[in-house]
Amino acid sequence: MQEAGNRARWSWDTLASSNDAATAGECAASPAPSACFRRNFAATTSGFEPPDVLDLVIRIAGIENVMRAIDYPYESSRDAVAFIEGARLSVEQRASIFHRNAERLFHLK
């Protein structure tokens, strides 16, 4: 999975180096499209629970852009919480996914 994340970032950055339009507008100051992506996208954990998928999303989007979510009523809150609690994350990373990222992105604090 790590190779896939690195390949995706490389592809965006390589394509942009040959296409000035890809770095226009708000992302013009970014060193690479992958940095622009991280500034403008967030991902939620709704609908997936494989640990490898979470690892890939964190590598691509950055831990600061991942938020816990569930697809109620199709997904159990208990299972969704257990998934994040059981993931290979530090206490700080878990807090970011559970609440800090949403507080920052939605200006809740």
Side-chain angles (χ1 to χ4, degrees):
M1 281 292 193
Q2 182 174 0
E3 183 180 322
N6 291 339
R7 188 172 29 250
R9 279 193 305 275
W10 177 86
S11 296
W12 295 334
D13 298 344
T14 302
L15 288 171
S17 67
S18 64
N19 182 358
D20 291 339
T23 57
E26 179 186 331
C27 295
S30 294
S34 58
C36 182
F37 177 83
R38 285 180 173 223
R39 277 204 317 265
N40 291 289
F41 289 90
T44 68
T45 59
S46 178
F48 71 83
E49 292 185 2
D52 289 344
V53 174
L54 180 62
D55 292 343
L56 179 63
V57 170
I58 289 170
R59 276 194 300 279
I60 297 275
I63 189 74
E64 67 279 2
N65 295 318
V66 179
M67 297 181 289
R68 179 204 165 265
I70 65 162
D71 189 12
Y72 181 82
Y74 305 104
E75 184 177 19
S76 156
S77 291
R78 182 174 292 128
D79 292 345
V81 170
F83 166 61
I84 298 299
E85 288 290 347
R88 299 175 299 252
L89 300 168
S90 70
V91 171
E92 288 296 313
Q93 289 173 317
R94 201 169 279 114
S96 291
I97 290 174
F98 273 135
H99 65 90
R100 288 186 187 143
N101 294 340
E103 290 167 353
R104 179 181 46 80
L105 288 167
F106 298 123
H107 307 285
L108 300 175
K109 280 196 170 190

